[in-house]
């Protein structure tokens, strides 16, 4: 949960999808350092959460986890995979595009109801950018 909360500070939102999600984890020297959670809806998969322990970031672990989730989704029959991130999540927008996702739509005001306002890169996180990759 500590890792999952790095990606989404809303524990209630995590609890709502985690029971139905497929998780892959990354370990280094037996220690859990990364996690990706994917759900399925008909022929579309959704990357619901990805997080890498701060001390292990920048080593390609997230990219590896995303490619694992994508290949698992394809093997499971999904035709595409989507992911949502905040308008303020600049590194994540870079990461997903480097992993083959393209922007699909913006859900305006998606994060405005979160209990605590979120700021990243000096920008208030209010809107959800949805990106999608064909499998
Ligand atoms: N501009 C351009 N590229 C950037 C970038 C930026 N600002 N920030 C990151 N990247 C690129 C890196 O250069 C790298 O690509 P490259 O291999 O082509 O150089 C890639 O994004 C990052 O890859 P990786 O090392 O696999 O990422 P990571 O293991 O450090 O994990 C997160 C990335 C986002 C999962 C990690 O920072 C994290 O857990 N953050 C907190 C949780 C979170 O925000 N999750 C996503 C919620 S939407």
């Amino acid at each position: 949960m500590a890792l999952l909360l790095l990606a989404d500070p809303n524990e209630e939102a995590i609890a709502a999808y985690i029971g139905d999600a497929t998780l892959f984890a990354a370990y280094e020297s037996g220690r859990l350092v990364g996690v990706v959670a994917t759900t399925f809806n008909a022929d579309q998969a959704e990357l619901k959460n990805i997080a890498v322990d701060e001390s292990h970031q920048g080593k390609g672990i997230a990219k590896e986890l995303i490619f694992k989730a994508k290949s698992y989704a394809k093997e499971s029959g999904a035709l595409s995979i989507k992911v949502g991130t905040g308008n303020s999540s600049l590194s994540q927008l870079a990461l997903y595009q480097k992993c083959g996702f393209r922007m699909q739509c913006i859900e305006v005001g998606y994060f405005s109801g979160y209990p605590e306002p979120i700021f990243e890169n000096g920008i208030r996180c209010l809107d959800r950018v949805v990106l999608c990759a064909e499998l």
Side-chain angles (χ1 to χ4, degrees):
M1 183 54 83
L3 270 180
L4 296 169
L5 284 167
L6 281 180
D8 185 349
N10 186 341
E11 197 164 341
E12 270 180 36
I14 295 173
Y17 64 72
I18 205 67
D20 294 326
T22 301
L23 276 82
F24 289 102
Y27 290 87
E28 202 169 277
S29 307
R31 183 170 160 239
L32 177 67
V33 295
V35 67
V36 62
T38 310
T39 57
F40 292 86
N41 183 4
D43 57 9
Q44 188 169 59
E46 180 169 358
L47 209 153
K48 298 291 282 188
N49 191 308
I50 176 150
V52 173
D53 183 83
E54 276 173 33
S55 60
H56 289 77
Q57 291 177 3
K59 294 157 81 178
I61 295 173
K63 271 180 132 178
E64 210 171 310
L65 284 168
I66 290 172
F67 284 114
K68 178 73 192 166
K70 281 176 80 176
S71 60
Y72 175 77
K74 187 173 180 172
E75 281 162 25
S76 306
L79 300 178
S80 63
I81 182 165
K82 72 173 183 174
V83 64
T85 193
N87 57 285
S88 51
S89 302
L90 305 182
S91 325
Q92 291 81 346
L93 287 166
L95 168 67
Y96 297 136
Q97 289 177 89
K98 285 181 171 182
C99 290
F101 288 80
R102 290 191 59 190
M103 291 187 193
Q104 194 177 48
C105 67
I106 294 170
E107 295 170 357
V108 176
Y110 182 90
F111 296 106
S112 49
Y114 267 43
E116 291 294 326
I118 305 164
F119 284 88
E120 298 169 293
N121 304 299
I123 304 165
R124 172 109 187 249
C125 181
L126 289 168
D127 309 317
R128 182 174 187 247
V129 182
V130 179
L131 300 100
C132 190
E134 301 300 319
L135 295 172

